[in-house]
Amino acid sequence: PQMALAYNMASQIEFIPLRLSALERRQFNLLLAALNVSEYTDKVDRPKYQRQDQITSELKDLYHIIWGLQLASGERNIKFNPTEDAEESEEGLETADTFCLQENQEYFATLFEIGRRYKIMNPDKMRTEYGKLLYLMQDACSTESTRALGFCPYRPILTVETVLKELDLMNVMEDARLLQATTPVRDLCPEQLAQAKRHKEDLIGQLCTHYVPNRKDPRYDALERCIRSIDDANCYLRDNVEPIDKLLAQLHASFQHADPPKTHTLTIRYGQGGSCLSHNHDTQFTFVQQSLTMWRVVQMHMFRLWHVVEEDMLDLRAPYRYRYTGQGYHRVQPAPRIASEMSKVLSEAAKQVGKPWVGLSVVHLGDNDVPNALNFIDKYTQLPRIINPIVKCLEGVGDIIKWPGIEEWIDTEFGSTELLTITILRDFFRHGFDGSGDDGGSCIDGRLTSAWNWCQQLQRKSFHHIFQLTGFSSFDGQFT
């Protein structure tokens, strides 16, 4: 909803990351290439073999890979320290002997910040590279590595609020035009869509010109990036919160019955259909409602959670231990800040639902189930990959019944298109929240595990072909 988006925009401006500039995008591509070829975690994270000299050696290797790619790209952002013994090639390029790590600490800190900022803006990207980046920063910022290399490559995430304060332009947040300029464009016909986009562009131009009249002033471009960053954040909310809202609306519209018919009951029994819980209809309805509401609150506060995750991961006072967890070897580390934030999330979700909490309210963090804060945030960035395909399938049924023979087939198999929708929703609301999965249950993380377990069972469902007909490929693909 528009009001929810506007409220979130103002309340989370402190955590909204700044959109990358053209130069930063080139630097990000360089970092991504370096992370792709680096074998840092493969060589450092090995059982009973994690010595500081190995960490220092691998960090130096990564820095030199970045240095080499920087030279190859033609951009000379890295400083050199020529010596009398330094050799120089015919092209005038300095050799590796002239490369000084300490003199380039600001460059590496900026480069790593760009990568981290890009990940927060695009959670579905850098699925392996971000973990490698954060793990190497854990080691690079340690006291031992800082002493060995002479610097720590950490820099706080650049946010919209930080830039607006530096530019002394915080008053733009009180301008009524900002809401219209950053409200996502809804699904419209091509002509209306083009018109809506032009209107937004005009408003952005008006805002920038009003607060920075001179277009050649560097503050003009910086303000435009801030406004577009807020727009990006609101688009993220639209794409990840509204599908959950749609499922909640379907839950209330179709299953809020005191005495539901058999086709609408959500009752589950332990051992039936793989269920690991036993709930009557009312209890399961509340359980699903609370889970979806909690997921919605998490998505609403995702930008803040990203910042808190990094604070926990890079906390030198709480070093990690590399050990076996029952699910392989992991970096196990306490996460008190994210635990505190999740406590607030649960309180907010419970308040919105207005009913006693069903199931456990335990949040696993820093243990065998969720070893560290990075594993936690990775779980919840996957929520759109579960919810969006389901919503897309339900909305696509109305399109496929226009195809020859499809409506007749649906009527034969399911009774009607309405009953088909009820069948899909009922199955997901029952067995996507039944405590199943390797580490399922009624705890906070177990609910997400159960939903993923349902996704893995989709091919066995009677409505699997409906998903395929509406464009489904997998729960790990790209969705529009």
Side-chain angles (χ1 to χ4, degrees):
Q2 181 172 331
M3 290 305 295
L5 291 174
Y7 170 79
N8 185 267
M9 176 191 71
S11 65
Q12 295 210 48
I13 186 176
E14 177 185 357
F15 306 104
I16 295 177
L18 188 69
R19 176 188 280 200
L20 301 189
S21 65
L23 172 61
E24 288 175 336
R25 291 186 185 277
R26 293 198 297 271
Q27 293 176 324
F28 168 74
N29 289 332
L30 186 148
L31 172 65
L32 194 62
L35 291 173
N36 279 330
V37 300
S38 172
E39 298 178 340
Y40 182 83
T41 48
D42 295 332
K43 293 184 178 180
V44 169
D45 286 348
R46 289 191 284 176
K48 301 180 181 180
Y49 185 82
Q50 193 177 36
R51 300 193 304 267
Q52 182 57 42
D53 57 348
Q54 181 74 15
I55 292 175
T56 303
S57 174
E58 291 305 317
L59 286 172
K60 285 183 177 179
D61 282 349
L62 176 67
Y63 292 141
H64 281 86
I65 290 172
I66 294 174
W67 169 78
L69 290 173
Q70 178 71 233
L71 284 181
S73 69
E75 295 185 16
R76 308 299 292 276
N77 294 319
I78 289 183
K79 298 177 183 178
F80 295 88
N81 184 25
T83 63
E84 293 182 359
D85 299 329
E87 298 179 0
E88 188 170 325
S89 66
E90 295 180 0
E91 293 79 10
L93 298 178
E94 293 83 348
T95 63
D97 293 334
T98 68
F99 175 49
C100 179
L101 283 176
Q102 290 82 357
E103 291 190 9
N104 292 281
Q105 56 181 309
E106 185 62 28
Y107 172 76
F108 289 117
T110 300
L111 195 66
F112 291 167
E113 184 275 333
I114 290 172
R116 290 154 49 218
R117 176 157 37 109
Y118 178 87
K119 174 64 177 181
I120 296 174
M121 298 168 64
N122 304 273
D124 204 43
K125 306 294 184 181
M126 294 182 70
R127 295 189 186 179
T128 58
E129 294 86 358
Y130 178 75
K132 187 185 296 184
L133 174 61
L134 209 54
Y135 283 162
L136 72 88
M137 284 196 65
Q138 273 188 317
D139 297 332
C141 293
S142 68
T143 304
E144 294 81 3
S145 296
T146 302
R147 186 183 302 115
L149 298 176
F151 72 99
C152 169
Y154 173 78
R155 180 180 177 182
I157 295 294
L158 192 60
T159 65
V160 171
E161 184 184 65
T162 303
V163 176
L164 289 179
K165 285 184 176 180
E166 289 179 356
L167 300 176
D168 193 23
L169 292 173
M170 281 295 291
N171 52 341
V172 72
M173 294 301 300
E174 300 175 4
D175 197 308
R177 291 172 294 182
L178 184 64
L179 176 60
Q180 290 180 292
T182 57
T183 298
V185 177
R186 303 290 171 176
D187 295 332
L188 302 169
C189 67
E191 294 79 8
Q192 292 176 323
L193 181 62
Q195 182 179 0
K197 288 183 176 179
R198 285 195 300 269
H199 180 59
K200 284 186 64 174
E201 291 297 321
D202 291 341
L203 286 172
I204 293 174
Q206 291 174 21
L207 285 166
C208 293
T209 304
H210 178 79
Y211 292 96
V212 187
N214 185 3
R215 289 184 63 96
K216 295 182 179 180
D217 189 334
R219 298 196 310 161
Y220 185 97
D221 291 335
L223 176 58
E224 182 179 352
R225 284 175 64 196
C226 288
I227 295 174
R228 295 191 184 279
S229 299
I230 296 172
D231 186 36
D232 293 340
N234 283 341
C235 288
Y236 172 86
L237 291 179
R238 176 198 60 186
D239 295 339
N240 296 288
V241 174
E242 288 192 0
I244 300 177
D245 287 338
K246 291 177 180 178
L247 282 186
L248 280 168
Q250 291 274 17
L251 176 69
H252 285 278
S254 302
F255 299 96
Q256 196 171 22
H257 302 287
D259 186 20
K262 187 176 180 180
T263 55
H264 290 66
T265 181
L266 298 179
T267 301
I268 56 175
R269 292 284 181 267
Y270 182 89
Q272 295 183 5
S275 177
C276 296
L277 301 173
S278 292
H279 288 160
N280 59 31
H281 174 82
D282 291 337
T283 303
Q284 182 67 4
F285 178 92
T286 304
F287 186 68
V288 175
Q289 182 187 16
Q290 290 175 339
S291 301
L292 290 175
T293 303
M294 178 194 67
W295 293 351
R296 183 186 188 277
V297 175
V298 167
Q299 295 300 312
M300 289 288 291
H301 298 291
M302 186 59 78
F303 295 116
R304 183 176 68 191
L305 293 177
W306 273 110
H307 285 259
V308 175
V309 163
E310 290 203 347
E311 289 178 3
D312 276 335
M313 291 292 293
L314 302 179
D315 187 355
L316 299 180
R317 296 169 298 180
Y320 68 86
R321 291 178 298 138
Y322 189 70
R323 66 173 177 82
Y324 186 72
T325 64
Q327 303 179 64
Y329 283 87
H330 292 275
R331 297 189 179 198
V332 181
Q333 181 187 32
R337 297 174 184 84
I338 200 68
S340 176
E341 289 298 323
M342 279 304 296
S343 177
K344 296 176 184 177
V345 166
L346 294 180
S347 297
E348 185 175 342
K351 183 178 180 180
Q352 289 183 16
V353 175
K355 298 178 182 178
W357 192 261
V358 176
L360 301 176
S361 58
V362 176
V363 180
H364 289 286
L365 282 167
D367 56 16
N368 289 347
D369 293 323
V370 184
N372 54 54
L374 177 60
N375 291 97
F376 165 84
I377 200 73
D378 181 63
K379 281 175 172 282
Y380 286 93
T381 56
Q382 298 174 24
L383 269 174
R385 302 179 205 167
I386 299 174
I387 303 298
N388 291 5
I390 297 174
V391 173
K392 182 180 178 181
C393 173
L394 295 172
E395 293 178 342
V397 170
D399 295 326
I400 64 173
I401 60 174
K402 300 175 184 177
W403 302 351
I406 295 297
E407 186 171 13
E408 290 78 5
W409 172 67
I410 290 177
D411 291 342
T412 301
E413 292 291 324
F414 302 97
S416 66
T417 54
E418 291 77 13
L419 286 177
L420 168 62
T421 299
I422 294 299
T423 300
I424 296 174
L425 288 170
R426 178 173 177 262
D427 195 89
F428 178 63
F429 291 153
R430 293 177 71 228
H431 298 296
F433 300 85
D434 63 0
S436 59
D438 292 337
D439 58 342
S442 65
C443 65
I444 303 305
D445 302 293
R447 303 170 194 232
L448 193 54
T449 301
S450 300
W452 263 122
N453 188 62
W454 183 88
C455 295
Q456 300 301 316
Q457 305 296 324
L458 180 62
Q459 289 186 344
R460 304 178 184 178
K461 307 292 184 181
S462 61
F463 45 78
H464 177 232
H465 294 304
I466 302 297
F467 272 75
Q468 292 179 310
L469 288 172
T470 54
F472 171 81
S473 58
S474 74
F475 285 100
D476 201 37
Q478 301 292 329
F479 311 109
T480 56

